[in-house]
Amino acid sequence: MGRTGVWLLGARGSVATTAVLGAFAVREGSAVPTGCVTARPEFDGAGLPGLEELVFGGHDLSDVRLCKTAERLARTGVLPAHLPGAFADRLGEVEGALRPGLAPEEGRVTRADVDRLERDLREFAGREGLERTVVVDLTSTEARLQAHPEQEDPAALEAALDSGGARIPASSAYAYAALRAGCAFVEFTPNTGPRLPALRELAEQQGLPWAGCDGKTGETLVKSALAPMFAARALQVRSWSSVNLLGGGDGETLADPDHAGSKTDSKARGLEHMLGRPVEGPLHIDFVPDLGDAKTAWDHVSFEGFLGTRMTLQFTWAGQDSALAAPLVLDLARLSSLALGRGTTGPVPAFGFFFKDPVDSDVHGLVEQWQALTAWSAPEGGTA
């Protein structure tokens, strides 16, 4: 299939570092692809690029080198202790492909900003001799979007970029640059990214695929299996309360209510769809610095059975966020490369299996999403 570039936004962060190091370890036999959906036999013969064909680069605002991030993750038990040293040279090669990220001044993105991002992508593809490039957003969760006229159509966006700056978030500036450079885009966070009307139209004009949003890695994954169970058995869920505790940079970002709103919105929408109606119950996200990369979620479900009998279900999910997310990043990079090769245009609803808030899809149940994904990926497939 040819070499596929995987350009990671937030490339020096925990998820990106785990994905890069994990890809090296698996393809050289130092690890097995546990958690990689596309390693399952259902995807044999689909035409996905192999892990050995993935080439990594990215943008980041941080100046902490990849090797230092990897060493920290090893100290905290996210990575096997020997991996950072074993692949130090490979991490150094990726480090050389990283470029400074974007921090819009006063909330405005200029033509010079997006031109620089696009140039970085084109130079990466040319330097590495890439067949295709997939851009994956792993940056911190942004505050809720404030609507402005230039977000509505490509012409208005272009005019704003040329006349003082467009009022779009950084994630959308990255998505704009990716589309202009002919790349597929994956919005793995709750950020706006390519969901702006102007960028949805630009993707259609350019004939490019994109996917999102907000990777489904932990508590919401469990919900997407349990909620359809209640609905299928005609059990009436009365309330579903959730408490999420997390550390790390993501937890610190989500401690700000303006930023947490995007995350709680995406987590709540899927539950309502699966149950067929809204249900009571608070959804809390709390920052606990001591947890580091770990996250814990506790859910309390109150439901009603035959003759109004009241019952409850409780579960606790505890995991390492980067180890849960990283294999999905590799999956989505491989699948998005395939979508590019097939000429898929616009959002890919079949990729909703990976997301809390799947774009252009009201399907949230895990089984139905799995069926859609495997049908799309089959060699005789190819429709989005």
Tab-separated table of all heavy atoms in Angstrom, residues 11-72:
chain	number	residue	atom	x	y	z
A	11	ALA	N	2.215	15.595	19.815
A	11	ALA	CA	3.074	14.443	19.540
A	11	ALA	C	3.989	14.073	20.701
A	11	ALA	O	4.499	12.945	20.742
A	11	ALA	CB	3.919	14.721	18.297
A	12	ARG	N	4.232	14.990	21.629
A	12	ARG	CA	5.094	14.674	22.771
A	12	ARG	C	4.291	14.285	24.009
A	12	ARG	O	4.864	14.098	25.082
A	12	ARG	CB	6.013	15.858	23.080
A	12	ARG	CG	7.043	16.157	21.988
A	12	ARG	CD	8.051	17.194	22.456
A	12	ARG	NE	9.105	17.393	21.472
A	12	ARG	CZ	9.163	18.414	20.623
A	12	ARG	NH1	8.188	19.326	20.629
A	12	ARG	NH2	10.166	18.527	19.768
A	13	GLY	N	2.980	14.159	23.862
A	13	GLY	CA	2.129	13.781	24.977
A	13	GLY	C	2.163	12.286	25.241
A	13	GLY	O	2.775	11.499	24.512
A	14	SER	N	1.457	11.886	26.289
A	14	SER	CA	1.496	10.495	26.742
A	14	SER	C	0.884	9.537	25.729
A	14	SER	O	1.441	8.465	25.445
A	14	SER	CB	0.767	10.365	28.077
A	14	SER	OG	1.398	11.129	29.078
A	15	VAL	N	-0.272	9.888	25.158
A	15	VAL	CA	-0.938	8.990	24.222
A	15	VAL	C	-0.098	8.824	22.963
A	15	VAL	O	0.120	7.701	22.476
A	15	VAL	CB	-2.347	9.496	23.873
A	15	VAL	CG1	-2.978	8.626	22.780
A	15	VAL	CG2	-3.242	9.502	25.103
A	16	ALA	N	0.384	9.935	22.416
A	16	ALA	CA	1.181	9.868	21.193
A	16	ALA	C	2.462	9.072	21.414
A	16	ALA	O	2.842	8.225	20.584
A	16	ALA	CB	1.506	11.274	20.704
A	17	THR	N	3.142	9.320	22.522
A	17	THR	CA	4.387	8.605	22.804
A	17	THR	C	4.140	7.110	22.942
A	17	THR	O	4.909	6.281	22.426
A	17	THR	CB	5.029	9.157	24.089
A	17	THR	OG1	5.264	10.563	23.942
A	17	THR	CG2	6.348	8.464	24.388
A	18	THR	N	3.058	6.740	23.628
A	18	THR	CA	2.725	5.325	23.795
A	18	THR	C	2.400	4.687	22.448
A	18	THR	O	2.794	3.544	22.176
A	18	THR	CB	1.540	5.167	24.758
A	18	THR	OG1	1.855	5.809	26.002
A	18	THR	CG2	1.234	3.701	25.030
A	19	ALA	N	1.685	5.412	21.582
A	19	ALA	CA	1.347	4.886	20.264
A	19	ALA	C	2.603	4.660	19.423
A	19	ALA	O	2.769	3.605	18.786
A	19	ALA	CB	0.393	5.835	19.549
A	20	VAL	N	3.492	5.634	19.403
A	20	VAL	CA	4.712	5.528	18.595
A	20	VAL	C	5.592	4.392	19.104
A	20	VAL	O	6.039	3.526	18.329
A	20	VAL	CB	5.474	6.862	18.607
A	20	VAL	CG1	6.853	6.707	17.969
A	20	VAL	CG2	4.678	7.945	17.881
A	21	LEU	N	5.852	4.389	20.406
A	21	LEU	CA	6.717	3.361	20.972
A	21	LEU	C	6.078	1.976	20.828
A	21	LEU	O	6.759	0.982	20.534
A	21	LEU	CB	6.985	3.676	22.437
A	21	LEU	CG	8.127	2.938	23.131
A	21	LEU	CD1	9.421	3.066	22.341
A	21	LEU	CD2	8.310	3.475	24.546
A	22	GLY	N	4.762	1.911	20.998
A	22	GLY	CA	4.056	0.641	20.843
A	22	GLY	C	4.145	0.111	19.429
A	22	GLY	O	4.308	-1.097	19.211
A	23	ALA	N	4.039	0.992	18.449
A	23	ALA	CA	4.153	0.562	17.048
A	23	ALA	C	5.529	-0.025	16.774
A	23	ALA	O	5.665	-1.072	16.112
A	23	ALA	CB	3.873	1.736	16.114
A	24	PHE	N	6.579	0.630	17.275
A	24	PHE	CA	7.930	0.097	17.094
A	24	PHE	C	8.071	-1.269	17.758
A	24	PHE	O	8.636	-2.207	17.184
A	24	PHE	CB	8.961	1.063	17.688
A	24	PHE	CG	9.098	2.368	16.952
A	24	PHE	CD1	9.486	3.514	17.623
A	24	PHE	CD2	8.854	2.444	15.592
A	24	PHE	CE1	9.625	4.719	16.953
A	24	PHE	CE2	8.979	3.647	14.908
A	24	PHE	CZ	9.372	4.786	15.604
A	25	ALA	N	7.558	-1.393	18.993
A	25	ALA	CA	7.717	-2.637	19.751
A	25	ALA	C	6.972	-3.796	19.086
A	25	ALA	O	7.501	-4.911	18.994
A	25	ALA	CB	7.228	-2.440	21.186
A	26	VAL	N	5.767	-3.540	18.605
A	26	VAL	CA	4.978	-4.614	17.994
A	26	VAL	C	5.590	-5.051	16.676
A	26	VAL	O	5.728	-6.257	16.401
A	26	VAL	CB	3.514	-4.170	17.797
A	26	VAL	CG1	2.743	-5.179	16.948
A	26	VAL	CG2	2.825	-3.991	19.141
A	27	ARG	N	5.989	-4.096	15.853
A	27	ARG	CA	6.467	-4.493	14.533
A	27	ARG	C	7.837	-5.163	14.581
A	27	ARG	O	8.210	-5.865	13.642
A	27	ARG	CB	6.462	-3.300	13.587
A	27	ARG	CG	7.507	-2.253	13.794
A	27	ARG	CD	7.140	-1.016	12.965
A	27	ARG	NE	8.201	-0.055	12.855
A	27	ARG	CZ	8.038	1.156	12.318
A	27	ARG	NH1	6.836	1.515	11.861
A	27	ARG	NH2	9.042	1.996	12.225
A	28	GLU	N	8.570	-4.997	15.701
A	28	GLU	CA	9.867	-5.659	15.816
A	28	GLU	C	9.806	-6.857	16.759
A	28	GLU	O	10.847	-7.425	17.121
A	28	GLU	CB	10.919	-4.661	16.266
A	28	GLU	CG	11.126	-3.552	15.245
A	28	GLU	CD	12.415	-2.798	15.422
A	28	GLU	OE1	13.260	-3.232	16.223
A	28	GLU	OE2	12.570	-1.763	14.741
A	29	GLY	N	8.590	-7.250	17.182
A	29	GLY	CA	8.431	-8.472	17.955
A	29	GLY	C	8.695	-8.352	19.435
A	29	GLY	O	8.745	-9.365	20.143
A	30	SER	N	8.836	-7.132	19.945
A	30	SER	CA	9.062	-6.939	21.383
A	30	SER	C	7.761	-6.873	22.170
A	30	SER	O	7.789	-6.824	23.398
A	30	SER	CB	9.856	-5.646	21.626
A	30	SER	OG	11.122	-5.714	21.014
A	31	ALA	N	6.635	-6.839	21.478
A	31	ALA	CA	5.329	-6.782	22.135
A	31	ALA	C	4.297	-7.381	21.194
A	31	ALA	O	4.553	-7.539	19.988
A	31	ALA	CB	4.953	-5.331	22.487
A	32	VAL	N	3.146	-7.725	21.744
A	32	VAL	CA	2.034	-8.226	20.927
A	32	VAL	C	0.988	-7.123	20.822
A	32	VAL	O	0.909	-6.244	21.690
A	32	VAL	CB	1.417	-9.500	21.537
A	32	VAL	CG1	2.426	-10.630	21.520
A	32	VAL	CG2	0.937	-9.250	22.964
A	33	PRO	N	0.154	-7.143	19.772
A	33	PRO	CA	-0.771	-6.022	19.524
A	33	PRO	C	-2.062	-6.075	20.346
A	33	PRO	O	-3.155	-5.877	19.816
A	33	PRO	CB	-1.049	-6.146	18.028
A	33	PRO	CG	-0.954	-7.599	17.752
A	33	PRO	CD	0.151	-8.105	18.653
A	34	THR	N	-1.931	-6.326	21.644
A	34	THR	CA	-3.105	-6.332	22.514
A	34	THR	C	-3.795	-4.977	22.463
A	34	THR	O	-3.142	-3.935	22.615
A	34	THR	CB	-2.706	-6.649	23.965
A	34	THR	OG1	-1.993	-7.888	23.988
A	34	THR	CG2	-3.935	-6.736	24.862
A	35	GLY	N	-5.122	-4.975	22.259
A	35	GLY	CA	-5.870	-3.721	22.196
A	35	GLY	C	-5.962	-3.128	20.809
A	35	GLY	O	-6.718	-2.175	20.601
A	36	CYS	N	-5.212	-3.660	19.848
A	36	CYS	CA	-5.281	-3.170	18.466
A	36	CYS	C	-6.408	-3.903	17.739
A	36	CYS	O	-6.287	-5.092	17.422
A	36	CYS	CB	-3.958	-3.398	17.738
A	36	CYS	SG	-2.606	-2.356	18.302
A	37	VAL	N	-7.483	-3.206	17.486
A	37	VAL	CA	-8.653	-3.810	16.853
A	37	VAL	C	-8.311	-4.342	15.469
A	37	VAL	O	-8.748	-5.425	15.068
A	37	VAL	CB	-9.796	-2.780	16.785
A	37	VAL	CG1	-10.974	-3.317	15.989
A	37	VAL	CG2	-10.236	-2.389	18.192
A	38	THR	N	-7.507	-3.593	14.727
A	38	THR	CA	-7.210	-3.979	13.348
A	38	THR	C	-6.254	-5.166	13.256
A	38	THR	O	-5.965	-5.634	12.150
A	38	THR	CB	-6.640	-2.789	12.558
A	38	THR	OG1	-5.557	-2.199	13.306
A	38	THR	CG2	-7.713	-1.740	12.307
A	39	ALA	N	-5.768	-5.648	14.395
A	39	ALA	CA	-4.968	-6.878	14.392
A	39	ALA	C	-5.851	-8.119	14.417
A	39	ALA	O	-5.341	-9.236	14.270
A	39	ALA	CB	-4.022	-6.886	15.589
A	40	ARG	N	-7.160	-7.931	14.592
A	40	ARG	CA	-8.077	-9.065	14.609
A	40	ARG	C	-8.223	-9.660	13.200
A	40	ARG	O	-8.043	-8.958	12.194
A	40	ARG	CB	-9.449	-8.633	15.143
A	40	ARG	CG	-9.469	-8.316	16.633
A	40	ARG	CD	-10.840	-7.818	17.058
A	40	ARG	NE	-11.889	-8.765	16.686
A	40	ARG	CZ	-12.419	-9.675	17.505
A	40	ARG	NH1	-11.999	-9.764	18.748
A	40	ARG	NH2	-13.380	-10.489	17.086
A	41	PRO	N	-8.586	-10.945	13.125
A	41	PRO	CA	-8.676	-11.599	11.805
A	41	PRO	C	-9.735	-11.004	10.890
A	41	PRO	O	-9.642	-11.159	9.663
A	41	PRO	CB	-8.998	-13.056	12.149
A	41	PRO	CG	-9.496	-13.046	13.556
A	41	PRO	CD	-8.801	-11.903	14.226
A	42	GLU	N	-10.725	-10.304	11.460
A	42	GLU	CA	-11.759	-9.694	10.619
A	42	GLU	C	-11.185	-8.673	9.637
A	42	GLU	O	-11.831	-8.336	8.634
A	42	GLU	CB	-12.816	-9.004	11.485
A	42	GLU	CG	-13.713	-9.945	12.259
A	42	GLU	CD	-13.151	-10.332	13.609
A	42	GLU	OE1	-11.933	-10.090	13.856
A	42	GLU	OE2	-13.902	-10.873	14.436
A	43	PHE	N	-9.981	-8.179	9.902
A	43	PHE	CA	-9.399	-7.138	9.052
A	43	PHE	C	-8.327	-7.675	8.114
A	43	PHE	O	-7.704	-6.909	7.375
A	43	PHE	CB	-8.852	-6.008	9.932
A	43	PHE	CG	-9.912	-5.331	10.738
A	43	PHE	CD1	-10.240	-5.798	12.003
A	43	PHE	CD2	-10.630	-4.265	10.228
A	43	PHE	CE1	-11.246	-5.202	12.750
A	43	PHE	CE2	-11.630	-3.658	10.965
A	43	PHE	CZ	-11.947	-4.136	12.231
A	44	ASP	N	-8.114	-8.995	8.159
A	44	ASP	CA	-7.168	-9.595	7.212
A	44	ASP	C	-7.678	-9.387	5.778
A	44	ASP	O	-8.848	-9.601	5.487
A	44	ASP	CB	-7.024	-11.094	7.486
A	44	ASP	CG	-6.338	-11.391	8.806
A	44	ASP	OD1	-5.755	-10.461	9.388
A	44	ASP	OD2	-6.398	-12.550	9.251
A	45	GLY	N	-6.812	-8.975	4.921
A	45	GLY	CA	-7.193	-8.799	3.526
A	45	GLY	C	-7.899	-7.500	3.214
A	45	GLY	O	-8.298	-7.272	2.065
A	46	ALA	N	-8.045	-6.614	4.216
A	46	ALA	CA	-8.748	-5.355	3.974
A	46	ALA	C	-7.902	-4.359	3.183
A	46	ALA	O	-8.433	-3.408	2.595
A	46	ALA	CB	-9.164	-4.726	5.307
A	47	GLY	N	-6.600	-4.561	3.179
A	47	GLY	CA	-5.717	-3.624	2.471
A	47	GLY	C	-5.168	-2.533	3.365
A	47	GLY	O	-4.735	-1.483	2.876
A	48	LEU	N	-5.169	-2.766	4.684
A	48	LEU	CA	-4.636	-1.781	5.621
A	48	LEU	C	-3.110	-1.726	5.527
A	48	LEU	O	-2.463	-2.753	5.319
A	48	LEU	CB	-5.021	-2.141	7.054
A	48	LEU	CG	-6.509	-2.198	7.380
A	48	LEU	CD1	-6.711	-2.743	8.789
A	48	LEU	CD2	-7.137	-0.819	7.261
A	49	PRO	N	-2.506	-0.548	5.710
A	49	PRO	CA	-1.045	-0.499	5.779
A	49	PRO	C	-0.567	-1.228	7.029
A	49	PRO	O	-1.209	-1.186	8.076
A	49	PRO	CB	-0.744	1.004	5.859
A	49	PRO	CG	-1.983	1.609	6.438
A	49	PRO	CD	-3.120	0.780	5.924
A	50	GLY	N	0.556	-1.910	6.946
A	50	GLY	CA	1.132	-2.565	8.107
A	50	GLY	C	1.788	-1.556	9.039
A	50	GLY	O	2.098	-0.425	8.644
A	51	LEU	N	2.003	-1.968	10.284
A	51	LEU	CA	2.671	-1.078	11.235
A	51	LEU	C	4.056	-0.688	10.746
A	51	LEU	O	4.539	0.415	11.023
A	51	LEU	CB	2.768	-1.747	12.606
A	51	LEU	CG	1.462	-1.946	13.376
A	51	LEU	CD1	1.727	-2.642	14.703
A	51	LEU	CD2	0.748	-0.620	13.609
A	52	GLU	N	4.697	-1.599	10.005
A	52	GLU	CA	6.027	-1.295	9.485
A	52	GLU	C	5.999	-0.224	8.396
A	52	GLU	O	7.051	0.328	8.030
A	52	GLU	CB	6.694	-2.569	8.951
A	52	GLU	CG	6.104	-3.136	7.678
A	52	GLU	CD	4.809	-3.913	7.890
A	52	GLU	OE1	4.378	-4.071	9.058
A	52	GLU	OE2	4.220	-4.361	6.884
A	53	GLU	N	4.819	0.082	7.867
A	53	GLU	CA	4.684	1.109	6.826
A	53	GLU	C	4.297	2.474	7.385
A	53	GLU	O	4.155	3.432	6.620
A	53	GLU	CB	3.635	0.663	5.804
A	53	GLU	CG	4.037	-0.592	5.030
A	53	GLU	CD	2.929	-1.096	4.131
A	53	GLU	OE1	1.870	-1.506	4.640
A	53	GLU	OE2	3.122	-1.081	2.903
A	54	LEU	N	4.117	2.565	8.702
A	54	LEU	CA	3.738	3.840	9.319
A	54	LEU	C	4.977	4.658	9.645
A	54	LEU	O	5.943	4.157	10.217
A	54	LEU	CB	2.930	3.601	10.595
A	54	LEU	CG	1.650	2.761	10.467
A	54	LEU	CD1	0.913	2.713	11.810
A	54	LEU	CD2	0.741	3.318	9.376
A	55	VAL	N	4.934	5.937	9.290
A	55	VAL	CA	6.025	6.879	9.542
A	55	VAL	C	5.463	8.013	10.385
A	55	VAL	O	4.435	8.600	10.028
A	55	VAL	CB	6.607	7.430	8.226
A	55	VAL	CG1	7.782	8.349	8.511
A	55	VAL	CG2	7.005	6.298	7.291
A	56	PHE	N	6.131	8.338	11.496
A	56	PHE	CA	5.554	9.266	12.467
A	56	PHE	C	6.222	10.640	12.445
A	56	PHE	O	7.439	10.762	12.261
A	56	PHE	CB	5.673	8.683	13.881
A	56	PHE	CG	4.913	7.404	14.069
A	56	PHE	CD1	5.552	6.178	13.964
A	56	PHE	CD2	3.549	7.430	14.321
A	56	PHE	CE1	4.852	4.997	14.124
A	56	PHE	CE2	2.834	6.253	14.471
A	56	PHE	CZ	3.488	5.034	14.376
A	57	GLY	N	5.391	11.658	12.643
A	57	GLY	CA	5.827	13.028	12.831
A	57	GLY	C	4.747	13.747	13.621
A	57	GLY	O	3.809	13.117	14.109
A	58	GLY	N	4.856	15.071	13.735
A	58	GLY	CA	3.789	15.753	14.448
A	58	GLY	C	4.098	17.176	14.860
A	58	GLY	O	5.212	17.686	14.650
A	59	HIS	N	3.094	17.799	15.441
A	59	HIS	CA	3.196	19.137	16.023
A	59	HIS	C	3.016	19.041	17.536
A	59	HIS	O	2.241	18.208	18.016
A	59	HIS	CB	2.092	20.065	15.480
A	59	HIS	CG	2.319	20.562	14.100
A	59	HIS	ND1	1.478	20.256	13.033
A	59	HIS	CD2	3.288	21.370	13.583
A	59	HIS	CE1	1.917	20.861	11.946
A	59	HIS	NE2	3.013	21.538	12.243
A	60	ASP	N	3.688	19.920	18.273
A	60	ASP	CA	3.461	20.030	19.707
A	60	ASP	C	3.999	21.363	20.205
A	60	ASP	O	4.991	21.868	19.685
A	60	ASP	CB	4.141	18.886	20.469
A	60	ASP	CG	3.457	18.597	21.801
A	60	ASP	OD1	3.072	19.553	22.500
A	60	ASP	OD2	3.286	17.412	22.134
A	61	LEU	N	3.330	21.896	21.215
A	61	LEU	CA	3.791	23.123	21.857
A	61	LEU	C	4.831	22.831	22.931
A	61	LEU	O	5.597	23.712	23.321
A	61	LEU	CB	2.607	23.863	22.489
A	61	LEU	CG	1.601	24.468	21.511
A	61	LEU	CD1	0.359	24.939	22.254
A	61	LEU	CD2	2.231	25.614	20.740
A	62	SER	N	4.851	21.610	23.434
A	62	SER	CA	5.776	21.236	24.497
A	62	SER	C	7.190	21.068	23.951
A	62	SER	O	7.383	20.695	22.788
A	62	SER	CB	5.309	19.925	25.149
A	62	SER	OG	6.291	19.437	26.044
A	63	ASP	N	8.183	21.316	24.804
A	63	ASP	CA	9.572	21.066	24.408
A	63	ASP	C	10.160	19.870	25.159
A	63	ASP	O	11.364	19.638	25.121
A	63	ASP	CB	10.430	22.315	24.620
A	63	ASP	CG	10.429	22.797	26.072
A	63	ASP	OD1	9.779	22.141	26.923
A	63	ASP	OD2	11.077	23.823	26.357
A	64	VAL	N	9.312	19.094	25.844
A	64	VAL	CA	9.769	17.878	26.518
A	64	VAL	C	9.974	16.799	25.463
A	64	VAL	O	9.043	16.437	24.746
A	64	VAL	CB	8.744	17.409	27.568
A	64	VAL	CG1	9.194	16.084	28.200
A	64	VAL	CG2	8.553	18.461	28.638
A	65	ARG	N	11.159	16.277	25.385
A	65	ARG	CA	11.475	15.335	24.323
A	65	ARG	C	10.750	14.009	24.520
A	65	ARG	O	10.419	13.611	25.639
A	65	ARG	CB	12.991	15.120	24.247
A	65	ARG	CG	13.750	16.396	23.863
A	65	ARG	CD	15.244	16.167	23.836
A	65	ARG	NE	15.649	15.248	22.790
A	65	ARG	CZ	15.831	15.585	21.517
A	65	ARG	NH1	15.639	16.842	21.124
A	65	ARG	NH2	16.220	14.689	20.629
A	66	LEU	N	10.497	13.317	23.392
A	66	LEU	CA	9.779	12.047	23.424
A	66	LEU	C	10.419	11.046	24.379
A	66	LEU	O	9.722	10.323	25.102
A	66	LEU	CB	9.736	11.434	22.024
A	66	LEU	CG	8.711	11.994	21.041
A	66	LEU	CD1	8.987	11.437	19.652
A	66	LEU	CD2	7.308	11.627	21.474
A	67	CYS	N	11.737	10.982	24.398
A	67	CYS	CA	12.410	10.012	25.258
A	67	CYS	C	12.117	10.290	26.719
A	67	CYS	O	11.971	9.346	27.524
A	67	CYS	CB	13.910	9.997	24.988
A	67	CYS	SG	14.759	11.555	25.302
A	68	LYS	N	11.994	11.563	27.099
A	68	LYS	CA	11.693	11.910	28.483
A	68	LYS	C	10.256	11.535	28.835
A	68	LYS	O	9.980	11.055	29.934
A	68	LYS	CB	11.923	13.403	28.712
A	68	LYS	CG	13.372	13.828	28.598
A	68	LYS	CD	14.250	13.098	29.619
A	68	LYS	CE	15.695	13.540	29.546
A	68	LYS	NZ	16.551	12.772	30.507
A	69	THR	N	9.335	11.763	27.901
A	69	THR	CA	7.957	11.336	28.135
A	69	THR	C	7.889	9.829	28.296
A	69	THR	O	7.200	9.300	29.187
A	69	THR	CB	7.044	11.773	26.980
A	69	THR	OG1	7.136	13.189	26.811
A	69	THR	CG2	5.599	11.394	27.251
A	70	ALA	N	8.608	9.099	27.436
A	70	ALA	CA	8.615	7.637	27.514
A	70	ALA	C	9.200	7.154	28.840
A	70	ALA	O	8.671	6.209	29.459
A	70	ALA	CB	9.410	7.068	26.349
A	71	GLU	N	10.264	7.779	29.299
A	71	GLU	CA	10.864	7.390	30.583
A	71	GLU	C	9.891	7.626	31.740
A	71	GLU	O	9.792	6.806	32.661
A	71	GLU	CB	12.163	8.174	30.804
A	71	GLU	CG	13.289	7.747	29.867
A	71	GLU	CD	14.456	8.718	29.878
A	71	GLU	OE1	14.392	9.722	30.640
A	71	GLU	OE2	15.426	8.483	29.125
A	72	ARG	N	9.150	8.734	31.692
A	72	ARG	CA	8.155	9.004	32.744
A	72	ARG	C	7.053	7.956	32.723
A	72	ARG	O	6.621	7.465	33.778
A	72	ARG	CB	7.561	10.406	32.559
A	72	ARG	CG	6.405	10.708	33.501
A	72	ARG	CD	5.858	12.100	33.290
A	72	ARG	NE	5.383	12.339	31.937
A	72	ARG	CZ	4.214	11.915	31.480
A	72	ARG	NH1	3.404	11.197	32.259
A	72	ARG	NH2	3.839	12.199	30.238
